Amino acid sequence: MKIGEVSKELGIPSATLRYYEQIGLLENIKKEHGIREYDDEDIERLKFIICMKKAGFKLDAIVQFLNLENDKKLGEEKRLEMLLKQKDVLLQELKDKEETLKFLNYKIELYETKTHKK
């Protein structure tokens, strides 16, 4: 797949894809006559990056996570630690959002009651 096709399919600007290469998130993208050609493995890595970003990981943490693949001794343990830590962050964010939603629903009910009395 060419960079424009990947950009459209995954909703990632082409400039971002090139930036991911610069910082080491994407490696060894094949080029034919200077044109990037993404294969299935590249697409899967991009989907992984998107997921990690949605989970709240910063790009430098994703690079670190991916680089831990080369650490055969402690890499998996460190990766697990990173994932568990971010899971805790997400769970707290969900709890905070649920509390905010409850408050908004309370205010909505309050104003609906007031506006229907007019």
Side-chain angles (χ1 to χ4, degrees), residues 18-85:
R18 288 188 284 277
Y19 178 68
Y20 286 176
E21 281 184 68
Q22 289 175 356
I23 64 171
L25 281 173
L26 292 173
E27 298 174 339
N28 306 319
I29 300 297
K30 294 174 191 78
K31 292 182 182 175
E32 290 185 27
H33 308 291
I35 297 173
R36 288 169 176 81
E37 189 65 40
Y38 295 84
D39 61 23
D40 291 341
E41 188 175 315
D42 300 323
I43 301 302
E44 286 306 310
R45 182 166 234 184
L46 283 165
K47 288 178 181 178
F48 169 78
I49 293 166
I50 292 167
C51 179
M52 295 292 272
K53 284 182 63 182
K54 286 181 181 179
F57 280 90
K58 304 289 184 209
L59 291 178
D60 59 338
I62 300 171
V63 170
Q64 179 186 359
F65 187 92
L66 292 170
N67 287 338
L68 285 169
E69 184 176 19
N70 299 325
D71 183 346
K72 300 300 178 196
K73 188 173 184 180
L74 297 174
E76 289 181 355
E77 188 175 311
K78 290 178 182 177
R79 282 174 152 191
L80 176 60
E81 184 180 307
M82 289 175 76
L83 291 170
L84 290 170
K85 187 176 182 179

